Amino acid sequence: MARHHAPRRRRTVRRLLAPSAGVATGLLVTGLLAAPAPAQPRTGTAPSPGAPIGTVARTVGDARFEPGPCPKTPEPIEALEGARCGTLTVPENRTEPSGRTIRLGVAIVPAATDEPAPDPVVWLAGGPGDDAVGEAKMAIDGGLNRDRDVIFMSQRGTYSAEPDLLCPNIDEFNARAVGLVFGAPSTERLHVEATKACRDKLAGRGMDLSAYNDTESAADYDDLRTALGVEEWNLYGISYGTHLALTSMRLHPEGLRSVGLDGILPPSRAGEASTWSSARQGFDGLFKACADQPACNERYPNLSATFEKLVRDLEAEPVTTTVTLPGSDKPVKVVLDGGALVNWLVSATHVATQVPAALDELAHGKPQRIARQWAGGKLSPQAIGRVSHGLVYGVFCSAWTPYEGEDAALQGGQKEFPSFPRSVQAQAPLLASLRPDCDVWDIPAAAPSIRDATRGDIPTLALSGAFDAQTGADNGPYVARTLDKATVVTIPYEPHVVFATSKCAQEITLSFFDHPTAPDTECVKNLQAPKFEIGP
């Protein structure tokens, strides 16, 4: 989806949700999720004993891995220098194995040690719609390849896959929409028109839009494991990647030594209502951290009340301003209403120390900081033509909207933020206009089993950030209820995807892969709250 981004701390953080109408684009709609094809006999050349993973061509059933050039990335990624690369070819739709095939880019970054552990780590990207290969810097900067090879494969339809299901027209609309009223019916109509144009283009190229979903992607990774000749590996999913990891654990548990989940989105719980719950948890965590600091509390008392009043006031009377963005002198018109402010704060938890001052500035007639952050990500060149909207809608429209009531967003908003205007409550954070988008995407619902809770005894690390307003920290204990060997850790003062921002989270993750049932979590005890910016 086309997302809206606040300025990021340190490394790039991948958002869990695609951009929705007017702001982010509706998330994925996938068609009927097909059951995995039965196992097929293996053919081709088996890896030689001791041969590095990814250096031998091999066919397993309908899937084939071929060593070759590294997948394309929008910019050069130093972490991929020296990677072993190739492509995995699989059926587009496994219910039609003799039909069209697709090619998924694969990059394997070698372990930093001379004697790596035999079980590699597989990185599952966020989004939906982000490309794992493009996230290699985040993973390697965090030391994920310290003791193990790390495997990156483009999920079907993403940037380095063939075909890709990108739709820059949606990204371009989201950029223009910063100058429109977020919650206006006219904005929604324009967004849905952009979504339909995207669908028509992809369908016109012969894409089976019902085949871009969790079930097929999980089967892709299982095929990759067998085609690479890997007996056992570990998964590490961030944001939407946790949704895919939990699906993989349920459908393809064989070969999974351990699974790390970071910024957790359980398929059994995902939907419009849950995004309101996550927003409430992240906002409350940030506001409490300010209240706990005497200087912040004295300068910005009752921050939650200030925020909720601003949402009501802006929804009644939107504010229009003009800002300039880094790298351009061209003025940009920005409109802030209540819905825009809510969605800004969801992402602004990544720059949490600025939030109290920014809200105070807005309350005193200075909207420029928030307007600049609200517009900055969507007008950035990095926001255009990189997200697979086909995968976004493939997931959300098949696995989410068919299994929630029409009023799920409104009910969730009323429960968590009863003081908000109804027009704000009716648009779930980061998922505005999801339902009309899914109506025009028009793909079948996934099998009801897609909503089943994942169960089993695969060692699992459930990591969350206390400031995460996209996937609430309570999702950690939630998934652990049905996972017999789960370790739940909440990193205080951190936003969505803690591996990208927390050295402690990185240490815990590496310890987990060394000792999946007993990771070292001591560093959490020593974490201290960040200092909030205090304005004049």
Side-chain angles (χ1 to χ4, degrees):
M1 24 178 223
R3 319 183 238 295
H4 64 275
H5 302 283
R8 297 178 175 117
R9 299 188 299 173
R10 292 169 248 172
R11 287 179 278 286
T12 299
V13 176
R14 296 295 179 185
R15 303 293 189 254
L16 149 74
L17 303 172
S20 327
V23 181
T25 118
L27 306 182
L28 315 161
V29 182
T30 242
L32 210 61
L33 295 184
Q40 300 291 325
R42 300 182 178 186
T43 63
T45 304
S48 304
I53 297 170
T55 58
V56 177
R58 194 175 189 222
T59 297
V60 179
D62 296 316
R64 179 166 179 79
F65 175 78
E66 289 273 2
C70 286
K72 66 178 182 178
T73 57
E75 297 91 21
I77 298 178
E78 185 179 353
L80 295 177
E81 295 178 6
R84 303 185 296 272
C85 298
T87 57
L88 181 75
T89 301
V90 295
E92 182 182 44
N93 188 328
R94 286 179 171 81
T95 64
E96 300 176 7
S98 61
R100 177 178 180 157
T101 60
I102 60 176
R103 289 159 55 89
L104 310 177
V106 178
I108 303 169
V109 176
T113 180
D114 291 334
E115 297 183 3
D119 46 284
V121 176
V122 181
W123 181 272
L124 302 181
D130 291 343
D131 192 334
V133 180
E135 294 180 346
K137 175 177 170 55
M138 186 196 311
I140 303 308
D141 281 357
L144 200 59
N145 69 324
R146 185 191 67 185
D147 302 308
R148 290 170 169 80
D149 292 354
V150 181
I151 300 174
F152 304 89
M153 182 173 76
S154 48
Q155 291 170 25
R156 50 178 50 215
T158 58
Y159 184 88
S160 63
E162 298 177 19
D164 66 62
L165 274 63
L166 312 180
C167 283
N169 73 297
I170 293 180
D171 305 322
E172 291 161 357
F173 172 77
N174 288 329
R176 295 194 302 273
V178 300
L180 304 176
V181 176
F182 176 80
S186 56
T187 303
E188 180 172 278
R189 284 195 299 271
L190 291 170
H191 188 273
V192 174
E193 287 176 8
T195 301
K196 186 176 186 304
C198 167
R199 189 202 191 282
D200 290 347
K201 181 189 80 168
L202 297 178
R205 289 165 52 194
M207 311 296 187
D208 180 354
L209 298 180
S210 71
Y212 293 81
N213 56 53
D214 288 328
T215 300
E216 293 284 4
S217 288
D220 293 340
Y221 281 95
D222 190 58
D223 279 347
L224 177 66
R225 183 182 63 80
T226 55
L228 291 177
V230 176
E231 181 178 347
E232 191 175 57
W233 66 14
N234 310 276
L235 302 182
Y236 193 81
I238 65 166
S239 191
Y240 163 72
T242 68
H243 197 281
L244 179 55
L246 287 161
T247 300
S248 296
M249 293 169 71
R250 186 171 59 83
L251 297 179
H252 303 283
E254 60 279 1
L256 296 184
R257 172 179 176 267
S258 70
V259 177
L261 308 172
D262 182 352
I264 304 165
L265 181 63
S268 57
R269 197 183 213 185
E272 293 176 290
S274 70
T275 63
W276 278 118
S277 172
S278 293
R280 169 57 84 181
Q281 292 175 65
F283 297 171
D284 284 355
L286 192 160
F287 295 153
K288 182 180 185 302
C290 173
D292 288 344
Q293 287 185 18
C296 190
N297 188 51
E298 181 178 349
R299 178 65 182 80
Y300 308 113
N302 302 315
L303 200 56
S304 179
T306 297
F307 167 66
E308 295 196 22
K309 182 177 186 302
L310 282 168
V311 171
R312 295 192 297 271
D313 291 349
L314 288 174
E315 191 67 2
E317 188 173 348
V319 167
T320 301
T321 189
T322 301
V323 299
T324 57
L325 302 176
S328 174
D329 295 329
K330 183 180 179 180
V332 176
K333 174 188 172 185
V334 179
V335 178
L336 296 175
D337 66 355
L341 187 64
V342 170
N343 282 268
W344 163 79
L345 185 53
V346 168
S347 286
T349 51
H350 289 273
V351 287
T353 57
Q354 297 183 38
V355 166
L359 289 173
D360 184 71
E361 290 169 5
L362 179 61
H364 289 86
K366 298 177 181 179
Q368 284 75 24
R369 186 197 312 227
I370 289 177
R372 193 174 297 111
Q373 293 180 354
W374 175 236
K378 290 188 290 181
L379 273 74
S380 164
Q382 286 74 30
I384 308 297
R386 300 195 182 185
V387 169
S388 172
H389 295 279
L391 183 56
V392 168
Y393 291 115
V395 171
F396 293 143
C397 303
S398 66
W400 290 28
T401 57
Y403 296 103
E404 274 197 314
E406 290 286 334
D407 293 332
L410 178 62
Q411 292 172 3
Q414 290 174 335
K415 176 183 177 182
E416 302 296 343
F417 295 94
S419 77
F420 283 180
R422 183 183 177 94
S423 56
V424 175
Q425 294 168 334
Q427 296 282 11
L430 298 183
L431 294 174
S433 302
L434 176 58
R435 287 184 177 274
D437 282 336
C438 284
D439 288 342
V440 299
W441 202 255
D442 189 25
I443 60 172
S449 59
I450 196 66
R451 304 291 295 189
D452 289 350
T454 300
R455 303 176 182 276
D457 61 358
I458 298 171
T460 304
L461 175 65
L463 276 173
S464 301
F467 287 178
D468 188 349
Q470 295 173 250
T471 55
D474 70 345
N475 283 330
Y478 173 82
V479 297
R481 297 173 316 147
T482 54
L483 297 173
D484 296 340
K485 296 179 180 178
T487 300
V488 178
V489 181
T490 298
I491 308 293
Y493 318 119
E494 293 292 342
H496 186 56
V497 183
V498 294
F499 190 89
T501 59
S502 168
K503 182 66 175 175
C504 178
Q506 294 166 4
E507 293 173 359
I508 292 171
T509 299
L510 296 182
S511 170
F512 168 73
F513 288 129
D514 287 342
H515 307 286
T517 58
D520 184 354
T521 63
E522 285 298 305
C523 62
V524 173
K525 299 176 182 178
N526 300 319
L527 297 177
Q528 297 184 354
K531 276 195 171 184
F532 287 92
E533 176 185 328
I534 306 297

